[in-house]
Amino acid sequence: MSEILVLVEQVEGEVKKVTLELLTLARSLGTPAAVWAGPGITSEAKARLAEYGADKIYVAPSSDIVEYVVAPKAELLAQLVADKSPAAVLVAATPEGKEIAGRLAIKTDSGVITDAVGLGEGFVADQSIFGGGINVQSKVSKGTPIVAVRPNSTAPEPSAGAGAEEEVSVTLSDAAKAARIVERVKQEKGARPELTEAAIVVSGGRGVGSAENFSIIEQLADSLGAAVGASRAATDAGWYPHQFQVGQTGKTVSPQLYIAAGISGAIQHRAGMQTAKTIVAINKDPEAPIFELADYGVVGDLNQVVPQLTEEVNKRK
């Protein structure tokens, strides 16, 4: 089967879940080959990549790759595309991943698809476009398909691969060194999972009523091991930080379970969460648009429903 390159997302040598999802997806279409950009690969990381199907692991250990912004990774992938002629290149649909995909498409004269939520035979991608109003299938018609896939679009499933390591050297152009990273500030990680990678997300909207009342949303999220999200109305009101906004102008999530509490379901919010596998809506307005999208709906006051739900979840632990 043809080789499919998967760009590894990692933090301090720890492979992120989205990479395991991409390897699982690549296995259904060809032979996965992981690409580790920069120094720091560990035996544990190699074992993890092999566990989820990486037949090869291309390692480019040059520190230059991580000392400059984005461009070196695109040049590394472009070199591998030229040398290995893969059937496709998969990256995570993160802000950095999508920029890498765009740059790679230019360098290889290929087509690019971003924010795919599925990928089938012939590299036909499922996408949600126009603010989530239309679902389409897209296919690259030129060059090597480059696809940025949203986190949580595929359930990661282990299936051992050979994990054969091959070191790659890359010579970066002057253009790739135009913007150097001069400082990194480590964000303190809380107990909750990262919003875009969480399997469960609990979001609150205007119906929550106040910043103080967001504690009931957090309590439900913590009982489920979920991330906390918020609608634009809630973040604009100052009730919750903007970094947790879900929607067209915030973050896009595709969890297995999305609970929307006190959110009306405006198109702006739907664009950021409607590809969730299961959607539960809690709203006291039976005519709220969110119920058109929901798999399960509860018409009621979230101040009563959410605490009861939290209590029931805690009982079953």
Side-chain angles (χ1 to χ4, degrees):
M1 296 178 75
S2 299
E3 192 170 75
I4 298 174
L5 299 181
V6 173
L7 181 62
V8 175
E9 293 266 340
Q10 54 90 16
V11 177
E12 296 181 348
E14 183 178 346
V15 178
K16 298 186 76 173
K17 176 172 168 276
V18 66
T19 299
L20 309 181
E21 296 170 9
L22 294 178
L23 289 171
T24 301
L25 185 60
R27 283 203 322 268
S28 67
L29 300 166
T31 303
V35 180
W36 186 284
I41 191 167
T42 62
S43 57
E44 290 81 3
K46 294 176 195 175
R48 189 74 165 158
L49 295 171
E51 180 186 358
Y52 282 82
D55 191 61
K56 281 188 179 179
I57 304 172
Y58 295 114
V59 179
S62 172
S63 59
D64 283 349
I65 293 175
V66 293
E67 287 180 0
Y68 299 91
V69 179
V70 179
K73 292 181 180 178
E75 291 200 352
L76 167 62
L77 288 173
Q79 178 178 307
L80 286 170
V81 168
D83 293 346
K84 308 297 181 182
S85 301
V89 180
L90 304 185
V91 301
T94 59
E96 181 180 277
K98 288 188 279 190
E99 183 173 348
I100 291 170
R103 287 173 178 264
L104 179 60
I106 295 296
K107 291 178 184 297
T108 59
D109 195 25
S110 300
V112 60
I113 294 172
T114 61
D115 287 315
V117 295
L119 196 61
E121 187 176 348
F123 300 101
V124 176
D126 297 316
Q127 290 176 288
S128 180
I129 64 170
F130 297 136
I134 300 176
N135 295 323
V136 298
Q137 289 188 316
S138 309
K139 183 176 180 179
V140 168
S141 60
K142 181 181 182 182
T144 302
I146 300 162
V147 186
V149 183
R150 284 184 184 174
N152 284 312
S153 296
T154 302
E157 297 177 358
S159 179
E165 183 179 347
E166 182 176 327
E167 189 167 313
V168 179
S169 60
V170 58
T171 302
L172 301 180
S173 66
D174 290 338
K177 298 179 180 180
R180 178 188 287 273
I181 298 171
V182 296
E183 183 183 9
R184 284 184 171 88
V185 178
K186 186 174 180 180
Q187 184 177 10
E188 291 300 321
K189 186 176 180 181
R192 299 186 189 109
E194 204 279 321
L195 180 57
T196 58
E197 295 187 352
I200 304 174
V201 175
V202 181
S203 286
R206 192 191 305 273
V208 174
S210 68
E212 293 73 21
N213 219 28
F214 248 88
S215 61
I216 66 171
I217 303 297
E218 292 179 326
Q219 288 164 13
L220 176 57
D222 291 342
S223 71
L224 293 166
V228 175
S231 70
R232 180 172 177 174
T235 59
D236 283 352
W239 298 344
Y240 218 69
H242 280 279
Q243 70 196 70
F244 296 100
Q245 181 188 331
V246 173
Q248 193 168 19
T249 56
K251 292 184 177 179
T252 300
V253 298
S254 296
Q256 298 299 311
L257 172 63
Y258 187 88
I259 300 176
I263 296 174
S264 65
I267 189 65
Q268 193 276 340
H269 186 76
R270 292 167 64 153
M273 46 65 74
Q274 70 174 13
T275 54
K277 306 301 183 291
T278 302
I279 298 170
V280 176
I282 303 169
N283 202 297
K284 64 182 180 182
D285 179 7
E287 302 299 320
I290 192 69
F291 287 122
E292 299 171 7
L293 191 64
D295 298 287
Y296 302 96
V298 179
V299 178
D301 184 352
L302 70 86
N303 292 293
Q304 296 178 2
V305 175
V306 172
Q308 289 177 26
L309 179 55
T310 303
E311 184 180 350
E312 287 301 316
V313 170
N314 287 330
K315 282 181 183 178
R316 300 187 184 200
K317 286 185 176 180

